[in-house]
Amino acid sequence: MKLRHLIWKELWQRPTPMLTSLLAVTLGVTALVAIQNITVFSERKIAGDMESLGANVLVLPPSVTLQDYYGADMHGHTMPEEYVTRLALARLPGVENLAPKLCVEAEVDTIPVTLTGILPKSEFQAKASWQGLGMLGNAVGSDRGCCATAADTGEADNDPNSLATTRTIAKLGDRDVILGRDLASQLGAKTGDTLPLLGEDFTVLTVLPSTGTIDDGRMFAHLHSVQDLSGAGPVVNVIEIMACCEDAAGGLITNLSAELPETRIVTIAQVVQTQIAVNGLMSRLSWVFLSILLLVGGASIASVMYANVTERRKEIGTLMAIGASRNFVTKMFLGKAAILGLAGGAAGFIVGTIVAAVLGPQLLGIHVRPMPILLGVGMATATIVAVLASLLPARRAAGLDPCLVFNDA
């Protein structure tokens, strides 16, 4: 009888002891795969959000507790729009764009919507005293031009869709409105349509491309129109700032705090720092869980193998009496362990991926896809542990003397 036939026959005839060992190995790999999947795709989401966000500094009312960077203007607190003027006149090095925003609740044909007031660049350009700000099209190489922008290089973002990426827009009429992709679908609206909003008719200037952020469910209008029609007055919820030039931006937070001490200054680094720390902790914990569960699985496999050798002394002795070498016996036990490791690694990968795919969207709003590299890691790790745990029992089985075994029998 060939070696592989003996191994499969042993596994088939004595499945119960092996299933316990297989379960421990599978759980270890499952924990690793699930946590690593969620961690990796969470980090990718953060990186994508940071890249698409545009603004990387927020100026907020002092009483605001920041929960969501994208939803920072949804807190309901306000501050004077005059702060925008103060920042513009300060001409702080490293400030490339300013984007004040005011968020209010409104309705379009009884459908509740989130209306966000934004200030187009044309409003800044209309004020001669603000012409020093880098966002207003200063020439490249000037004392404020620390990084090349669309305006600097002649590629002015006159396209209203630029709001989706740069968080600013060149021109916006008093009765123009821009729709996020999801909201446009909900309203059934398209470019050029007229929508009733806050007692006035607004024309849809454009529908933004999907960004995967909260902006997909919003509509945007001129800040002053939103202030007047909503009765909020000259206030804003947040001032988004695009900071450029690492040397200049390094001291920007200090300068902003000195210029507006009555506000709270938040950077993107502060926002994602906690999430990154959590991701790192999760990644380390996944290896801890894997190690603990694999140690338990290895101990279980070693125990099962030792018991198997004791129970099968006569069968092993018979095999060796009819010509089976010690190497053959060793390979039989190690082969069985390798199959358990490979099966546990593969099963753990499948279960872990399913768990991550289910929990990822529910807990963190991320979509998880299988990571083939984790299949190799899981199967290799589980197989090595199983083989090492079976090494001593296999050597004990190979060291049996057939004469002594039959004499004992």
Coordinates of all heavy atoms in Angstrom, one line a residue, residues 97-145:
N97 N -5.6 77.3 -0.6 CA -7.0 77.5 -0.9 C -7.8 77.7 0.5 O -7.4 77.1 1.5 CB -7.6 76.3 -1.6 CG -7.3 76.3 -3.1 OD1 -7.1 77.4 -3.7 ND2 -7.2 75.1 -3.6
L98 N -8.8 78.5 0.4 CA -9.8 78.7 1.5 C -11.1 78.3 1.0 O -11.5 78.6 -0.1 CB -9.8 80.1 2.0 CG -8.6 80.6 2.8 CD1 -8.9 82.1 3.2 CD2 -8.4 79.8 4.1
A99 N -11.9 77.5 1.8 CA -13.2 77.0 1.4 C -14.1 77.1 2.6 O -14.4 76.1 3.3 CB -13.1 75.6 0.9
P100 N -14.7 78.3 2.9 CA -15.7 78.4 4.0 C -17.0 77.7 3.6 O -17.4 77.7 2.4 CB -15.9 79.9 4.1 CG -15.5 80.4 2.8 CD -14.5 79.6 2.2
K101 N -17.7 77.1 4.5 CA -18.9 76.3 4.2 C -19.9 76.5 5.3 O -19.6 76.6 6.5 CB -18.6 74.8 4.0 CG -17.7 74.5 2.9 CD -17.1 73.1 2.9 CE -18.2 72.1 2.8 NZ -17.7 70.7 2.7
L102 N -21.2 76.5 4.9 CA -22.3 76.5 5.9 C -23.3 75.4 5.5 O -23.7 75.4 4.3 CB -23.0 77.9 5.8 CG -24.3 78.0 6.7 CD1 -24.0 77.8 8.2 CD2 -25.0 79.3 6.4
C103 N -23.6 74.6 6.4 CA -24.5 73.5 6.1 C -25.9 73.6 6.8 O -25.9 73.9 8.0 CB -23.8 72.2 6.6 SG -24.6 70.7 6.0
V104 N -26.9 73.5 6.0 CA -28.3 73.7 6.6 C -29.2 72.6 6.0 O -28.9 72.0 5.0 CB -28.9 75.1 6.2 CG1 -28.1 76.2 6.8 CG2 -29.1 75.2 4.7
E105 N -30.3 72.3 6.7 CA -31.2 71.3 6.2 C -32.3 72.1 5.4 O -32.7 73.2 5.7 CB -31.9 70.6 7.4 CG -30.9 69.8 8.3 CD -30.2 68.7 7.5 OE1 -30.9 68.2 6.6 OE2 -29.1 68.4 7.8
A106 N -32.7 71.4 4.3 CA -33.7 72.0 3.4 C -34.6 70.9 2.8 O -34.4 69.7 3.1 CB -33.0 72.9 2.3
E107 N -35.5 71.3 1.9 CA -36.4 70.3 1.3 C -36.5 70.7 -0.2 O -36.5 71.8 -0.6 CB -37.8 70.3 1.9 CG -37.8 69.6 3.3 CD -39.2 69.5 3.8 OE1 -40.2 69.9 3.1 OE2 -39.4 68.9 4.8
V108 N -36.5 69.6 -1.0 CA -36.8 69.8 -2.4 C -38.0 68.9 -2.8 O -37.9 67.7 -2.7 CB -35.6 69.4 -3.3 CG1 -35.9 69.5 -4.8 CG2 -34.4 70.3 -3.0
D109 N -39.1 69.5 -3.0 CA -40.4 68.7 -3.3 C -40.6 67.7 -2.2 O -40.8 66.5 -2.4 CB -40.3 68.0 -4.6 CG -40.2 69.0 -5.8 OD1 -40.8 70.1 -5.7 OD2 -39.6 68.6 -6.8
T110 N -40.6 68.2 -0.9 CA -40.8 67.4 0.3 C -39.7 66.4 0.6 O -39.8 65.7 1.6 CB -42.2 66.7 0.3 OG1 -42.1 65.6 -0.7 CG2 -43.3 67.6 -0.1
I111 N -38.7 66.3 -0.2 CA -37.6 65.4 0.1 C -36.5 66.2 0.9 O -36.0 67.2 0.4 CB -37.0 64.9 -1.3 CG1 -38.0 64.1 -2.1 CG2 -35.7 64.0 -1.0 CD1 -37.5 63.6 -3.4
P112 N -36.2 65.7 2.1 CA -35.2 66.4 2.9 C -33.8 66.3 2.2 O -33.4 65.2 1.8 CB -35.2 65.7 4.2 CG -35.8 64.3 3.9 CD -36.7 64.5 2.7
V113 N -33.1 67.4 2.2 CA -31.7 67.4 1.6 C -30.8 68.2 2.5 O -31.2 69.0 3.4 CB -31.8 68.1 0.2 CG1 -32.6 67.3 -0.8 CG2 -32.2 69.5 0.3
T114 N -29.5 68.0 2.4 CA -28.5 68.7 3.1 C -27.9 69.7 2.1 O -27.3 69.3 1.1 CB -27.4 67.8 3.6 OG1 -28.0 66.8 4.5 CG2 -26.3 68.6 4.3
L115 N -28.1 71.0 2.4 CA -27.7 72.1 1.5 C -26.4 72.7 2.1 O -26.4 73.1 3.3 CB -28.7 73.1 1.3 CG -28.4 74.4 0.5 CD1 -28.0 74.0 -0.9 CD2 -29.5 75.4 0.6
T116 N -25.3 72.7 1.3 CA -24.1 73.3 1.8 C -23.7 74.5 1.0 O -23.6 74.5 -0.2 CB -22.9 72.2 1.6 OG1 -23.3 71.1 2.4 CG2 -21.6 72.8 2.1
G117 N -23.6 75.6 1.7 CA -23.2 76.8 1.1 C -21.6 76.9 0.9 O -20.9 76.7 1.9
I118 N -21.2 77.2 -0.3 CA -19.7 77.3 -0.5 C -19.4 78.7 -1.2 O -20.3 79.3 -1.8 CB -19.2 76.2 -1.4 CG1 -20.0 76.2 -2.8 CG2 -19.3 74.9 -0.7 CD1 -19.5 75.2 -3.8
L119 N -18.2 79.2 -1.0 CA -17.8 80.5 -1.6 C -16.9 80.2 -2.8 O -15.8 79.7 -2.6 CB -17.1 81.3 -0.5 CG -17.1 82.8 -0.7 CD1 -18.5 83.4 -0.8 CD2 -16.3 83.5 0.4
P120 N -17.3 80.6 -4.0 CA -16.5 80.4 -5.1 C -15.3 81.3 -5.1 O -15.3 82.4 -4.5 CB -17.4 80.7 -6.3 CG -18.4 81.7 -5.8 CD -18.6 81.2 -4.3
K121 N -14.3 81.0 -5.9 CA -13.1 81.8 -6.0 C -13.3 83.2 -6.5 O -12.6 84.1 -6.2 CB -12.0 81.1 -6.9 CG -11.4 79.9 -6.3 CD -10.4 79.3 -7.2 CE -9.8 78.0 -6.6 NZ -8.7 77.4 -7.5
S122 N -14.4 83.3 -7.3 CA -14.7 84.6 -7.9 C -15.0 85.7 -6.8 O -14.7 86.9 -7.0 CB -15.8 84.5 -8.9 OG -17.0 84.0 -8.2
E123 N -15.5 85.2 -5.7 CA -15.8 86.1 -4.6 C -14.5 86.7 -4.0 O -14.4 87.8 -3.6 CB -16.6 85.4 -3.5 CG -18.0 85.1 -3.9 CD -18.9 86.3 -4.1 OE1 -18.6 87.3 -3.4 OE2 -19.8 86.3 -4.9
F124 N -13.5 85.8 -3.9 CA -12.2 86.3 -3.4 C -11.5 87.3 -4.4 O -11.0 88.3 -4.1 CB -11.3 85.1 -3.2 CG -11.7 84.2 -2.0 CD1 -12.5 83.1 -2.3 CD2 -11.3 84.5 -0.7 CE1 -12.9 82.3 -1.2 CE2 -11.7 83.7 0.3 CZ -12.5 82.6 0.1
Q125 N -11.6 86.9 -5.7 CA -11.0 87.7 -6.7 C -11.6 89.1 -6.9 O -11.0 90.0 -7.3 CB -11.1 87.0 -8.1 CG -10.2 85.7 -8.1 CD -10.5 84.8 -9.2 OE1 -11.6 84.8 -9.8 NE2 -9.5 84.0 -9.6
A126 N -12.9 89.2 -6.4 CA -13.6 90.5 -6.5 C -13.1 91.5 -5.5 O -13.4 92.7 -5.6 CB -15.1 90.3 -6.4
K127 N -12.4 91.0 -4.5 CA -11.9 91.9 -3.5 C -10.4 92.1 -3.7 O -9.6 91.3 -3.5 CB -12.2 91.3 -2.1 CG -13.7 91.0 -1.9 CD -13.9 90.5 -0.5 CE -15.4 90.1 -0.3 NZ -16.2 91.3 -0.4
A128 N -10.0 93.3 -4.0 CA -8.7 93.7 -4.3 C -7.7 93.4 -3.1 O -6.6 93.0 -3.3 CB -8.5 95.1 -4.8
S129 N -8.3 93.6 -1.9 CA -7.4 93.4 -0.8 C -7.1 92.0 -0.5 O -6.2 91.7 0.3 CB -8.2 94.0 0.5 OG -9.4 93.3 0.7
W130 N -7.7 91.1 -1.2 CA -7.5 89.6 -1.0 C -6.6 89.1 -2.1 O -6.4 87.9 -2.1 CB -8.8 88.8 -1.0 CG -9.6 89.1 0.2 CD1 -9.5 90.1 1.1 CD2 -10.8 88.4 0.6 NE1 -10.4 90.1 2.1 CE2 -11.3 89.1 1.8 CE3 -11.5 87.3 0.1 CZ2 -12.4 88.6 2.5 CZ3 -12.6 86.9 0.8 CH2 -13.1 87.6 2.0
Q131 N -6.1 89.9 -3.0 CA -5.4 89.4 -4.1 C -4.1 88.6 -3.8 O -3.5 88.0 -4.7 CB -5.1 90.5 -5.1 CG -6.3 91.1 -5.8 CD -7.1 90.0 -6.6 OE1 -6.5 89.3 -7.3 NE2 -8.4 90.0 -6.5
G132 N -3.6 88.8 -2.6 CA -2.3 88.2 -2.3 C -2.5 86.7 -2.0 O -1.4 86.0 -1.9
L133 N -3.6 86.2 -1.8 CA -3.8 84.8 -1.5 C -3.4 83.9 -2.7 O -3.8 84.2 -3.8 CB -5.3 84.5 -1.1 CG -5.5 83.2 -0.3 CD1 -4.8 83.2 1.0 CD2 -7.0 83.1 0.0
G134 N -2.7 82.8 -2.4 CA -2.2 81.9 -3.5 C -3.3 81.4 -4.3 O -3.1 81.1 -5.5
M135 N -4.5 81.2 -3.8 CA -5.6 80.6 -4.6 C -6.1 81.5 -5.6 O -6.9 81.1 -6.5 CB -6.7 80.1 -3.6 CG -7.3 81.3 -2.9 SD -8.7 80.8 -1.9 CE -10.0 80.5 -3.0
L136 N -5.7 82.8 -5.6 CA -6.3 83.7 -6.6 C -5.5 83.9 -7.8 O -5.7 84.9 -8.5 CB -6.4 85.1 -5.9 CG -7.2 85.0 -4.5 CD1 -7.3 86.4 -4.0 CD2 -8.6 84.4 -4.7
G137 N -4.7 82.9 -8.1 CA -4.0 82.9 -9.4 C -2.8 83.7 -9.4 O -2.4 84.3 -10.4
N138 N -2.0 83.7 -8.3 CA -0.8 84.5 -8.3 C 0.2 83.8 -9.2 O 0.2 82.6 -9.5 CB -0.2 84.5 -6.8 CG 0.0 83.1 -6.3 OD1 -1.0 82.4 -6.1 ND2 1.2 82.7 -5.9
A139 N 1.2 84.5 -9.7 CA 2.2 84.0 -10.6 C 3.1 83.0 -9.9 O 3.4 83.2 -8.8 CB 3.0 85.1 -11.2
V140 N 3.5 82.0 -10.6 CA 4.4 81.0 -10.1 C 5.7 81.7 -9.8 O 6.2 82.4 -10.6 CB 4.6 79.8 -11.1 CG1 5.6 78.9 -10.5 CG2 3.3 79.2 -11.4
G141 N 6.3 81.4 -8.6 CA 7.5 82.0 -8.3 C 7.4 83.2 -7.4 O 8.4 83.8 -7.0
S142 N 6.2 83.6 -7.2 CA 6.0 84.8 -6.3 C 6.3 84.3 -4.9 O 6.5 83.2 -4.6 CB 4.6 85.3 -6.3 OG 3.7 84.3 -5.8
D143 N 6.4 85.3 -3.9 CA 6.8 85.0 -2.6 C 5.8 84.1 -1.9 O 6.1 83.6 -0.8 CB 7.0 86.3 -1.8 CG 5.7 87.2 -1.7 OD1 4.8 86.9 -2.5 OD2 5.7 88.1 -0.9
R144 N 4.6 83.9 -2.4 CA 3.6 83.1 -1.8 C 3.4 81.8 -2.5 O 2.7 80.9 -2.0 CB 2.2 83.8 -1.6 CG 2.3 85.0 -0.7 CD 0.9 85.4 -0.4 NE -0.1 84.3 -0.3 CZ -0.2 83.5 0.8 NH1 0.6 83.7 1.8 NH2 -1.0 82.6 0.8
G145 N 3.8 81.7 -3.7 CA 3.5 80.5 -4.5 C 4.4 79.3 -4.1 O 5.5 79.1 -4.7

